[in-house]
């Protein structure tokens, strides 16, 4: 009988301990006021990415995609935009797909920060463009002067047609203007659409962190 009474007393103590457990401990593992939420989420946070996906069979029929999303309170992401266009990179020849050949091969894989221009004034590149961060390829060669760009004149104007390949005029399909000296090339209409998507959330002339917006080459 005494042993039974001691057992009943022990059960009473355990019940009392459960009853006075603090709410923060009692709700671990679900059932809290924020069930389904994410305490590490940042509601309203925006992230965007330009992705260049290489076409191994046809480098000048590769693809650029644009994706933008905003984080919800539960940590999930609401898609705000998704678009895709044709793009190309590299020059014809044996080194077109060699990311370590400067001025000839396509871009090294990886993540890049970028700086967007509405009207870039370069020696060869004019008009809408995205200047990319430098990147080392697999053998350590530093790739520099990397852009997403098109072929146009200053002010995003197309120059008059003339014989041969003109840097100030998009002549595809008569000329394969998707080739480039290691940059990424888009048609004028495609880079205009990408720029408009970019301007929905970001400003020209500002290099944002890659946590906010970035280019991924793969």
């Amino acid at each position: 009988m005494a042993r039974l009474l001691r057992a009943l007393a022990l059960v009473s103590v355990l019940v009392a301990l459960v009853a006075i457990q603090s709410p923060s401990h009692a709700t671990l593992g679900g059932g809290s006021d924020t069930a389904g939420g994410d305490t590490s989420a940042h509601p309203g946070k925006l992230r965007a990415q330009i992705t260049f996906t290489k076409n191994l069979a046809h480098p000048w029929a590769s693809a650029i995609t644009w994706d933008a999303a905003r984080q919800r309170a539960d940590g999930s992401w609401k898609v705000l935009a998704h678009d895709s266009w044709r793009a190309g990179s590299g020059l014809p020849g044996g080194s077109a797909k060699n990311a370590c050949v400067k001025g000839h091969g396509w871009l090294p894989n990886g993540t890049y920060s970028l700086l967007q221009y509405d009207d870039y004034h370069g020696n060869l590149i004019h008009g809408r463009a995205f200047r990319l961060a430098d990147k080392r390829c697999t053998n350590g060669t530093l790739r520099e002067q990397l852009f997403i760009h098109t072929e146009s004149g200053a002010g995003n104007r197309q120059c008059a047609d003339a014989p041969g390949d003109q840097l100030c005029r998009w002549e595809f399909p008569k000329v394969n203007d998707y080739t480039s000296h290691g940059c990424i090339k888009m048609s004028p209409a495609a880079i205009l659409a990408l720029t408009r998507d970019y301007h929905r959330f970001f400003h020209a002339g500002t290099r944002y962190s890659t946590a906010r917006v970035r280019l991924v080459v793969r």
Side-chain angles (χ1 to χ4, degrees):
M1 185 67 179
R3 185 175 298 174
L4 178 61
L5 291 174
R6 285 196 299 271
L8 291 173
L10 179 59
V11 170
S12 298
V13 170
L14 292 175
V15 171
L17 287 173
V18 171
I20 63 173
Q21 185 182 27
S22 67
S24 62
H25 290 146
T27 56
L28 285 178
S32 68
D33 293 339
T34 57
D38 182 352
T39 57
S40 65
H42 299 280
K45 178 181 178 181
L46 176 75
R47 69 181 183 189
Q49 179 171 300
I50 301 171
T51 305
F52 178 66
T53 303
K54 297 172 177 176
N55 184 331
L56 292 173
H58 303 286
W60 307 288
S62 298
I64 281 272
T65 56
W66 165 260
D67 293 281
R70 196 177 300 279
Q71 193 170 42
R72 300 185 178 100
D74 65 359
S76 63
W77 292 85
K78 178 182 179 181
V79 175
L80 303 176
H82 173 78
D83 283 305
S84 182
W85 308 271
R86 179 177 175 175
S89 184
L91 290 175
S95 299
K97 293 182 282 186
N98 188 338
C100 294
V101 179
K102 287 189 172 185
H104 199 109
W106 57 12
L107 281 73
N109 290 352
T111 300
Y112 297 74
S113 64
L114 47 86
L115 186 63
Q116 188 265 327
Y117 292 88
D118 289 333
D119 189 10
Y120 187 79
H121 299 286
N123 293 327
L124 302 176
I125 297 173
H126 300 277
R128 297 180 183 91
F130 293 77
R131 175 70 183 268
L132 310 177
D134 299 340
K135 176 73 71 176
R136 292 194 183 276
C137 72
T138 53
N139 72 7
T141 298
L142 182 64
R143 295 292 304 277
E144 303 169 283
Q145 298 293 317
L146 303 174
F147 291 83
I148 302 172
H149 69 100
T150 188
E151 290 194 9
S152 73
N156 298 293
R157 294 185 296 271
Q158 293 285 294
C159 61
D161 196 8
D165 185 10
Q166 301 175 85
L167 295 177
C168 55
R169 184 178 179 85
W170 188 259
E171 298 154 297
F172 184 85
K174 181 176 69 174
V175 177
N176 184 6
D177 286 328
Y178 285 103
T179 64
S180 74
H181 291 271
C183 294
I184 297 172
K185 290 276 286 297
M186 305 176 71
S187 72
I191 202 168
L192 172 59
L194 174 60
T195 299
R196 285 174 171 168
D197 279 348
Y198 186 87
H199 282 176
R200 285 182 59 191
F201 312 106
F202 305 103
H203 300 290
T206 300
R207 189 177 291 274
Y208 298 91
S209 73
T210 55
R212 295 189 64 188
V213 60
R214 62 188 183 177
L215 167 73
V216 172
V217 176
R218 62 188 185 193

